[in-house]
Amino acid sequence: MDMALVASALAMKQAGTQQQIATSLIKQNADMERSTVLTLLEGAPSQANLGTGVGGKVDVTA
């Protein structure tokens, strides 16, 4: 078997392995981002449409 053919086959196999690793990492990052967004959306209710001072903390020590 020609050594160039062997080297080519090994390079292709290595490239395929690197592609699988990259795909796995991208999926993990996307899943983490999705989880973060869902956590933020499910957290406290949005106060974006409330007026100034509405929904803030109230000092009840006085």
Side-chain angles (χ1 to χ4, degrees):
M1 188 177 256
D2 190 326
M3 290 306 291
L5 184 60
V6 171
S8 176
L10 289 175
M12 287 175 46
K13 185 171 183 171
Q14 181 182 10
T17 301
Q18 288 177 346
Q19 183 65 35
Q20 288 176 347
I21 292 170
T23 302
S24 176
L25 289 174
I26 290 170
K27 183 181 183 319
Q28 286 177 356
N29 287 341
D31 289 344
M32 182 184 66
E33 292 293 332
R34 180 179 179 273
S35 175
T36 302
V37 168
L38 289 176
T39 300
L40 292 173
L41 291 176
E42 292 173 359
S46 175
Q47 296 178 355
N49 295 325
L50 299 178
T52 303
V54 176
K57 294 184 178 181
V58 178
D59 184 9
V60 294
T61 59

